[in-house]
Coordinates of all heavy atoms in Angstrom, one line a residue:
K1 N 18.6 -24.5 -3.4 CA 18.8 -25.8 -2.8 C 17.6 -26.2 -1.9 O 17.7 -26.8 -0.8 CB 20.1 -25.9 -2.0 CG 21.4 -25.7 -2.8 CD 22.6 -25.9 -2.0 CE 23.9 -26.0 -2.8 NZ 23.9 -25.3 -4.1
V2 N 16.4 -25.9 -2.5 CA 15.2 -26.3 -1.8 C 14.6 -27.4 -2.7 O 14.2 -27.2 -3.8 CB 14.2 -25.1 -1.7 CG1 12.9 -25.6 -1.1 CG2 14.8 -24.0 -0.9
A3 N 14.5 -28.6 -2.1 CA 14.1 -29.8 -2.9 C 12.5 -30.0 -2.7 O 12.1 -30.0 -1.5 CB 14.8 -31.0 -2.4
V4 N 11.8 -30.0 -3.8 CA 10.4 -30.4 -3.7 C 10.1 -31.4 -4.8 O 10.9 -31.6 -5.8 CB 9.5 -29.1 -4.0 CG1 9.7 -28.1 -3.0 CG2 9.7 -28.6 -5.4
P5 N 9.1 -32.3 -4.6 CA 8.8 -33.3 -5.6 C 8.5 -32.8 -7.0 O 7.8 -31.8 -7.1 CB 7.6 -34.1 -5.0 CG 7.6 -33.7 -3.6 CD 8.2 -32.3 -3.5
A6 N 9.0 -33.4 -8.0 CA 8.8 -33.0 -9.4 C 7.3 -33.1 -9.7 O 6.8 -32.4 -10.6 CB 9.6 -33.8 -10.4
D7 N 6.5 -34.0 -9.0 CA 5.1 -34.2 -9.4 C 4.2 -33.3 -8.6 O 3.0 -33.4 -8.7 CB 4.7 -35.7 -9.2 CG 4.9 -36.1 -7.7 OD1 5.3 -35.3 -6.9 OD2 4.5 -37.3 -7.4
L8 N 4.7 -32.3 -7.8 CA 3.8 -31.3 -7.3 C 3.2 -30.6 -8.5 O 3.9 -30.2 -9.4 CB 4.6 -30.3 -6.4 CG 4.8 -30.6 -5.0 CD1 5.5 -29.5 -4.3 CD2 3.6 -31.0 -4.2
P9 N 1.9 -30.5 -8.6 CA 1.2 -30.0 -9.8 C 1.4 -28.5 -10.1 O 1.8 -27.8 -9.2 CB -0.2 -30.3 -9.5 CG -0.4 -30.2 -8.1 CD 0.9 -30.7 -7.5
P10 N 1.2 -28.1 -11.3 CA 1.1 -26.7 -11.6 C -0.2 -26.1 -10.9 O -1.0 -26.9 -10.3 CB 0.8 -26.7 -13.1 CG 1.3 -28.0 -13.6 CD 1.0 -29.0 -12.5
L11 N -0.2 -24.8 -10.9 CA -1.4 -24.1 -10.2 C -2.2 -23.4 -11.2 O -1.9 -23.5 -12.4 CB -0.9 -23.2 -9.1 CG -0.1 -23.9 -8.0 CD1 0.3 -22.8 -6.9 CD2 -0.8 -25.0 -7.3
V12 N -3.1 -22.6 -10.8 CA -4.0 -21.8 -11.6 C -3.1 -20.9 -12.5 O -2.0 -20.4 -12.1 CB -4.9 -20.9 -10.8 CG1 -4.2 -20.0 -9.9 CG2 -5.9 -20.2 -11.7
S13 N -3.5 -20.6 -13.7 CA -2.7 -19.8 -14.6 C -3.6 -18.7 -15.3 O -4.8 -18.7 -15.1 CB -2.0 -20.6 -15.7 OG -2.9 -21.3 -16.5
E14 N -3.0 -17.9 -16.1 CA -3.6 -16.7 -16.7 C -5.0 -17.0 -17.3 O -6.0 -16.3 -17.1 CB -2.7 -16.0 -17.7 CG -1.6 -15.3 -17.1 CD -0.3 -16.1 -16.8 OE1 -0.4 -17.3 -16.8 OE2 0.7 -15.5 -16.6
P15 N -5.2 -18.1 -18.2 CA -6.5 -18.2 -18.8 C -7.6 -18.6 -17.8 O -8.8 -18.5 -18.2 CB -6.2 -19.4 -19.8 CG -4.8 -19.4 -20.0 CD -4.2 -19.0 -18.7
E16 N -7.2 -19.1 -16.6 CA -8.2 -19.5 -15.7 C -8.5 -18.5 -14.6 O -9.4 -18.7 -13.7 CB -7.7 -20.8 -15.0 CG -7.2 -21.9 -15.9 CD -6.4 -22.9 -15.2 OE1 -5.3 -22.6 -14.7 OE2 -6.8 -24.1 -15.2
L17 N -7.7 -17.4 -14.5 CA -7.6 -16.6 -13.3 C -8.8 -15.7 -13.2 O -9.4 -15.1 -14.1 CB -6.4 -15.7 -13.5 CG -6.0 -14.8 -12.2 CD1 -5.7 -15.7 -11.0 CD2 -4.7 -14.0 -12.6
R18 N -9.3 -15.6 -11.9 CA -10.3 -14.6 -11.5 C -9.8 -13.9 -10.3 O -10.0 -14.3 -9.1 CB -11.6 -15.3 -11.1 CG -12.3 -16.0 -12.3 CD -13.7 -16.5 -11.9 NE -13.6 -17.5 -10.8 CZ -14.3 -17.4 -9.7 NH1 -15.2 -16.5 -9.5 NH2 -14.2 -18.4 -8.8
L19 N -9.1 -12.8 -10.5 CA -8.5 -12.0 -9.4 C -9.5 -11.2 -8.7 O -10.5 -10.8 -9.2 CB -7.4 -11.1 -10.0 CG -6.0 -11.6 -10.2 CD1 -5.2 -10.5 -10.9 CD2 -5.3 -12.1 -9.0
R20 N -9.2 -10.9 -7.4 CA -10.0 -10.0 -6.6 C -9.8 -8.6 -7.2 O -8.8 -8.2 -7.8 CB -9.5 -10.0 -5.2 CG -9.5 -11.3 -4.5 CD -10.9 -11.7 -4.0 NE -10.9 -13.0 -3.4 CZ -11.9 -13.6 -2.8 NH1 -13.1 -13.0 -2.8 NH2 -11.8 -14.8 -2.3
A21 N -10.9 -7.8 -7.1 CA -10.8 -6.4 -7.6 C -9.9 -5.6 -6.7 O -9.8 -5.8 -5.5 CB -12.2 -5.8 -7.5
P22 N -9.1 -4.6 -7.3 CA -8.2 -3.8 -6.5 C -8.8 -3.2 -5.3 O -8.2 -3.2 -4.2 CB -7.7 -2.8 -7.5 CG -7.9 -3.4 -8.8 CD -9.1 -4.3 -8.7
E23 N -10.0 -2.6 -5.4 CA -10.6 -2.0 -4.2 C -10.9 -3.0 -3.1 O -10.9 -2.6 -1.9 CB -11.9 -1.2 -4.7 CG -12.9 -2.0 -5.4 CD -12.8 -2.0 -6.9 OE1 -11.6 -1.8 -7.4 OE2 -13.8 -2.3 -7.6
D24 N -11.3 -4.2 -3.5 CA -11.5 -5.3 -2.5 C -10.2 -5.7 -1.8 O -10.2 -5.9 -0.6 CB -12.2 -6.5 -3.1 CG -13.6 -6.2 -3.6 OD1 -14.2 -5.3 -3.1 OD2 -14.0 -6.9 -4.5
V25 N -9.1 -5.7 -2.6 CA -7.8 -6.0 -2.0 C -7.4 -4.9 -1.0 O -6.9 -5.2 0.1 CB -6.7 -6.2 -3.1 CG1 -5.4 -6.5 -2.5 CG2 -7.1 -7.3 -4.0
L26 N -7.6 -3.7 -1.4 CA -7.3 -2.6 -0.5 C -8.1 -2.6 0.8 O -7.6 -2.5 1.9 CB -7.5 -1.2 -1.2 CG -7.2 0.0 -0.3 CD1 -5.8 0.0 0.2 CD2 -7.5 1.3 -1.2
R27 N -9.4 -2.9 0.7 CA -10.2 -3.0 1.9 C -9.8 -4.2 2.8 O -9.8 -4.1 4.0 CB -11.7 -3.2 1.5 CG -12.4 -1.9 1.0 CD -13.9 -2.1 0.8 NE -14.5 -0.9 0.3 CZ -14.7 -0.7 -1.0 NH1 -14.4 -1.7 -1.9 NH2 -15.3 0.4 -1.5
R28 N -9.4 -5.3 2.2 CA -8.9 -6.4 2.9 C -7.6 -6.1 3.6 O -7.4 -6.5 4.8 CB -8.8 -7.6 2.0 CG -8.2 -8.9 2.7 CD -9.3 -9.8 3.1 NE -10.3 -9.3 4.0 CZ -10.2 -9.4 5.3 NH1 -9.1 -10.0 5.9 NH2 -11.1 -9.0 6.1
M29 N -6.7 -5.4 2.9 CA -5.5 -5.0 3.5 C -5.7 -4.1 4.8 O -5.1 -4.3 5.8 CB -4.6 -4.3 2.5 CG -3.2 -3.9 3.0 SD -3.1 -2.3 3.9 CE -3.3 -1.2 2.5
L30 N -6.6 -3.2 4.7 CA -6.9 -2.3 5.8 C -7.6 -3.0 7.0 O -7.3 -2.8 8.1 CB -7.8 -1.1 5.4 CG -7.1 -0.1 4.4 CD1 -8.1 0.9 3.9 CD2 -5.9 0.6 5.1
A31 N -8.4 -4.0 6.6 CA -9.1 -4.8 7.7 C -8.0 -5.6 8.4 O -8.0 -5.7 9.7 CB -10.1 -5.7 7.1
L32 N -7.1 -6.2 7.7 CA -6.0 -6.9 8.3 C -5.2 -6.0 9.2 O -4.7 -6.4 10.3 CB -5.2 -7.6 7.3 CG -5.8 -8.8 6.5 CD1 -4.9 -9.2 5.3 CD2 -6.0 -10.0 7.4
F33 N -5.0 -4.8 8.8 CA -4.1 -3.9 9.5 C -4.7 -3.6 10.9 O -4.0 -3.5 11.9 CB -3.9 -2.6 8.7 CG -3.0 -1.6 9.5 CD1 -1.7 -1.9 9.8 CD2 -3.6 -0.4 9.8 CE1 -1.0 -1.0 10.5 CE2 -2.8 0.5 10.5 CZ -1.5 0.2 10.9
V34 N -6.0 -3.3 10.9 CA -6.6 -2.9 12.2 C -6.6 -4.0 13.2 O -6.4 -3.8 14.4 CB -8.1 -2.3 12.0 CG1 -8.0 -1.0 11.2 CG2 -9.0 -3.3 11.5
V35 N -6.8 -5.3 12.7 CA -6.7 -6.4 13.7 C -5.3 -6.7 14.1 O -5.0 -7.0 15.3 CB -7.4 -7.7 13.2 CG1 -8.9 -7.5 13.0 CG2 -6.8 -8.2 11.9
A36 N -4.3 -6.4 13.2 CA -2.9 -6.7 13.5 C -2.4 -5.6 14.5 O -1.7 -5.9 15.5 CB -2.1 -6.6 12.3
I37 N -2.8 -4.3 14.3 CA -2.4 -3.3 15.2 C -3.0 -3.4 16.5 O -2.4 -3.1 17.6 CB -2.6 -1.9 14.6 CG1 -1.7 -0.9 15.3 CG2 -4.0 -1.5 14.6 CD1 -1.7 0.5 14.6
R38 N -4.3 -3.9 16.6 CA -5.0 -4.2 17.8 C -4.2 -5.3 18.6 O -4.0 -5.2 19.8 CB -6.4 -4.5 17.6 CG -7.2 -5.2 18.7 CD -7.5 -4.2 19.9 NE -8.3 -4.9 20.9 CZ -8.5 -4.5 22.1 NH1 -7.8 -3.4 22.6 NH2 -9.3 -5.1 22.9
A39 N -3.9 -6.3 17.9 CA -3.1 -7.4 18.5 C -1.8 -7.0 19.0 O -1.4 -7.3 20.1 CB -3.0 -8.6 17.5
E40 N -1.1 -6.2 18.2 CA 0.2 -5.7 18.7 C 0.1 -4.8 19.9 O 0.9 -5.0 20.9 CB 0.9 -4.9 17.5 CG 2.3 -4.4 17.9 CD 2.9 -3.6 16.7 OE1 2.2 -3.3 15.7 OE2 4.1 -3.3 16.8
S41 N -0.9 -4.0 20.0 CA -1.1 -3.1 21.1 C -1.4 -3.9 22.4 O -1.1 -3.5 23.5 CB -2.2 -2.1 20.9 OG -3.5 -2.7 21.0
L42 N -2.0 -5.1 22.2 CA -2.4 -5.9 23.4 C -1.2 -6.6 24.0 O -1.2 -7.1 25.1 CB -3.4 -7.0 23.0 CG -4.8 -6.4 22.7 CD1 -5.7 -7.5 22.1 CD2 -5.5 -6.0 24.0
T43 N 0.0 -6.5 23.3 CA 1.2 -7.1 23.9 C 1.9 -6.0 24.7 O 2.9 -6.4 25.3 CB 2.1 -7.6 22.8 OG1 2.6 -6.5 22.0 CG2 1.4 -8.6 21.9
G44 N 1.5 -4.8 24.7 CA 2.1 -3.7 25.5 C 1.3 -3.2 26.6 O 0.3 -3.8 27.0
D45 N 1.6 -2.0 27.1 CA 0.9 -1.4 28.2 C -0.2 -0.5 27.8 O -1.0 -0.1 28.7 CB 1.9 -0.7 29.1 CG 3.0 -1.5 29.7 OD1 2.7 -2.7 29.9 OD2 4.2 -1.1 29.8
T46 N -0.3 -0.2 26.6 CA -1.4 0.8 26.1 C -2.2 0.2 25.0 O -1.9 0.6 23.8 CB -0.8 2.1 25.8 OG1 0.3 1.9 24.7 CG2 -0.1 2.8 27.0
P47 N -3.1 -0.7 25.2 CA -3.9 -1.3 24.2 C -4.7 -0.2 23.4 O -5.2 0.8 24.0 CB -4.8 -2.2 24.9 CG -4.1 -2.5 26.2 CD -3.4 -1.3 26.5

């Protein structure tokens, strides 16, 4: 029961796709983790 307009367009599909390489995705995930854990620690008493 989530209404969205019928004319919202399709998006990129398989013949057009250029995915990030798995090793780049892993590095990006770890980079996000260190900034997230740093941010979380700043909300407590032991940054």
